[in-house]
Amino acid sequence: MDGEGIPVTSETRDEDAVLAALRRTWQHLDPSPDGLVDGMIAAVASADLGREYALLVLVESDASGAVRGDADLLTMQFTDGATNVLVHVTAAERGERRLDGWVDGDAVEVRLEQEDVADVGAADEPERHVTERRAASDGGRFSFDAVRSGIARLRVVLAAPPQPGAATELLTPRFEI
């Protein structure tokens, strides 16, 4: 018999019937607490929010737009609440940029990720590839030379979490250089 008093006969002993009877038995004997499923979905969805999203703040700038305009300097600050990153982007030779930054955490490495867009024709969507460059952090300071204009983001890899249970990576939102 299953948990609802329904006999399981040799005719219903295929795998699906046995599993269905077992499920009904456990649902009857040990039901899930109210809100468990919704709570688990919310917990899983928010587990990596600190890593996936950081706050972008325009600190100060002589620019009224992005660095690719007439401005010579753009300063941004990123934080996830535990680690802060300050970034200066300045104009360099041949239309390229220089990115200097500082991390207040124990950063091992900083990665600059930039999107490359390749046209594949009018009918198709453009292909997007990410180019990644790495820089070591020297006492929290890092820099990238010859940075091209475009969409970028930083991935800061920390030696250890800044607080118990915190992430060991800070991933900034995308920003335009």
Side-chain angles (χ1 to χ4, degrees):
M1 288 205 186
D2 69 5
E4 295 178 347
I6 299 171
V8 178
T9 65
S10 60
E11 296 172 9
T12 61
R13 287 195 181 249
D14 66 344
E15 187 175 310
D16 292 336
V18 171
L19 291 175
L22 186 60
R23 182 176 25 250
R24 286 191 306 270
T25 301
W26 279 111
Q27 287 172 344
H28 176 72
L29 295 175
D30 188 18
S32 298
D34 291 337
L36 176 68
V37 174
D38 292 336
M40 288 304 300
I41 291 171
V44 170
S46 65
D48 259 356
L49 284 182
R51 179 177 165 211
E52 293 297 323
Y53 297 100
L55 178 63
L56 168 62
V57 178
L58 185 60
V59 176
E60 65 180 70
S61 175
D62 296 334
S64 58
V67 170
R68 71 171 65 183
D70 294 333
D72 292 333
L73 173 68
L74 179 67
T75 303
M76 295 172 283
Q77 180 178 357
F78 302 94
T79 183
D80 66 355
T83 304
N84 296 297
V85 180
L86 183 67
V87 176
H88 291 292
V89 181
T90 55
E93 295 178 10
R94 299 181 313 260
E96 294 176 331
R97 310 287 182 252
R98 176 178 168 91
L99 188 146
D100 291 288
W102 297 266
V103 181
D104 69 355
D106 187 14
V108 175
E109 173 181 72
V110 178
R111 300 176 193 157
L112 174 66
E113 299 174 357
Q114 287 191 283
E115 292 183 8
D116 299 321
V117 178
D119 291 328
V120 294
D124 297 322
E125 291 289 321
E127 288 188 33
R128 297 188 185 279
H129 301 281
V130 176
T131 302
E132 183 178 273
R133 295 172 55 191
R134 298 169 186 242
S137 173
D138 181 18
R141 187 189 182 299
F142 62 91
S143 65
F144 294 95
D145 288 320
V147 177
R148 59 182 167 67
S149 297
I151 303 298
R153 74 187 322 171
L154 294 172
R155 182 181 303 269
V156 179
V157 181
L158 302 171
Q163 328 171 345
T168 56
E169 284 189 355
L170 169 76
L171 183 62
T172 69
R174 290 174 178 85
F175 57 93
E176 186 172 358
I177 295 180

